[in-house]
Amino acid sequence: MTTKHTIPSDEDLTAFIDGELTAEEAARIEAIVNEDESTAERLEFLARASLPFKQAFAPLLSEAPREKLQAMLAAIPAQQSAKSGLAPAFASRRRFLGALAASLVAGIAIDRAVIGIGARFSAKDENSEWRAVVADYISLYTAETLAGPAPGREDQAAQLVPLDEKLGLSLSPEAVSLPGIEFKRALLLQYDGKALAQIAYLDPETGPMALCIVKSDKGSTAPDLESRKGMNVVYWSNATHAFMLIGRIPVDRVQELAENARSRLSS
């Protein structure tokens, strides 16, 4: 007869990953992971999703009402372990995610799935996993996240240099431009230990968009379409890299933009 366990929360799983649990609690979660496939998949997702949320959202949080955020965070019950004598467990990623949750008061739209409340991603293949993680990440963006003047061509080129070096690409501002949509910034991120290039844009009608690129040895694939987190995604690959264009933009428009980008990135 299989013993029923209480499914651990994402905070418990994150504490397990960070080595912040007592030996007894760690053993309990390890036993659940060994018995429950969904918990094992969620643990793997949390361990692998190493995108730097803090880096991307530091400007957004810097403009949030600090006093209100601090008051809300202070009101959250401290999580202590009498057995281990640990201080309140609000370190590293969890402290930052707490600030994100509190910032809802300021009217910032935060997608709950990125802090583990949403469903697991639907497919298990590697190519699908990286798109799922990116969709979780981009779903946090609002127009305010990308507010401010667009960088000039020289600044765009400078931002693209680290992406070129890490991914073996040769990107120019012209190659990554999207007609009618403003280039905002280029970031070098990381997923599952691999470099991930993200070029963020702001569409005046539908909001944030992103072109993301990772190295891939899966071979060339033709463009395909899917929906994630309420956004449309067109994805494709060549012999060396996988690409995705994502945004809250109509299907026909995102397909047109993706084909435009694909033709320039492959030339």
Side-chain angles (χ1 to χ4, degrees):
M1 181 175 179
T2 303
T3 302
K4 290 186 177 181
H5 299 281
T6 301
I7 300 300
S9 67
D10 277 9
E11 184 174 86
D12 291 336
L13 293 176
T14 305
F16 177 79
I17 294 167
D18 292 342
E20 297 178 356
L21 296 179
T22 65
E24 181 180 348
E25 283 297 299
R28 181 183 70 84
I29 288 182
E30 185 174 355
I32 296 173
V33 168
N34 289 334
E35 294 182 8
D36 184 71
E37 182 180 357
S38 64
T39 301
E41 290 178 359
R42 190 62 191 164
L43 179 67
E44 181 182 3
F45 172 71
L46 291 171
R48 295 179 68 179
S50 56
L51 293 174
F53 295 103
K54 185 171 184 178
Q55 174 190 356
F57 289 93
L60 182 150
L61 289 176
S62 68
E63 298 192 3
R66 290 180 179 275
E67 292 183 2
K68 186 174 290 186
L69 292 180
Q70 289 171 356
M72 290 192 66
L73 288 173
I76 298 174
Q79 297 186 1
Q80 301 183 25
S81 172
K83 296 179 180 179
S84 64
L86 292 176
F90 280 96
S92 62
R93 284 174 292 174
R94 285 183 295 158
R95 180 170 54 245
F96 176 66
L97 292 175
L100 280 179
S103 66
L104 280 167
V105 175
I108 300 167
I110 301 298
D111 191 311
R112 297 173 67 200
V114 79
I115 56 174
I117 302 174
R120 301 189 310 274
F121 40 79
S122 57
K124 298 180 181 180
D125 65 281
E126 178 183 353
N127 289 334
S128 178
E129 282 187 12
W130 84 274
R131 298 196 305 273
V133 172
V134 168
D136 275 347
Y137 185 60
I138 300 301
S139 70
L140 290 174
Y141 280 20
T142 68
E144 288 75 19
T145 310
L146 301 175
R153 189 194 182 284
E154 289 187 5
D155 287 341
Q156 292 181 30
Q159 291 182 32
L160 292 170
V161 168
L163 279 58
D164 288 348
E165 293 175 349
K166 286 292 186 179
L167 282 98
L169 295 166
S170 181
L171 300 175
S172 67
E174 291 75 22
V176 299
S177 66
L178 298 179
I181 297 177
E182 197 171 50
F183 177 110
K184 282 297 186 177
R185 68 189 184 204
L187 291 174
L188 181 63
L189 308 177
Q190 178 176 291
Y191 166 69
D192 197 19
K194 298 185 295 186
L196 188 158
Q198 181 206 103
I199 300 130
Y201 309 84
L202 188 59
D203 176 47
E205 296 182 1
T206 62
M209 293 186 62
L211 172 66
C212 298
I213 311 168
V214 294
K215 283 187 175 180
S216 174
D217 58 2
K218 303 300 182 182
S220 298
T221 60
D224 205 349
L225 177 72
E226 65 183 1
S227 177
R228 291 185 181 272
K229 312 298 293 181
M231 296 173 287
N232 289 315
V233 181
V234 176
Y235 60 96
W236 69 96
S237 63
N238 59 24
T240 55
H241 294 86
F243 305 80
M244 64 180 286
L245 183 65
I246 179 171
R248 294 179 179 86
I249 190 167
V251 169
D252 56 349
R253 179 67 171 143
V254 74
Q255 288 178 314
E256 177 186 349
L257 291 169
E259 186 55 38
N260 187 292
R262 179 171 174 259
S263 64
R264 282 181 279 108
L265 291 168
S266 62
S267 60

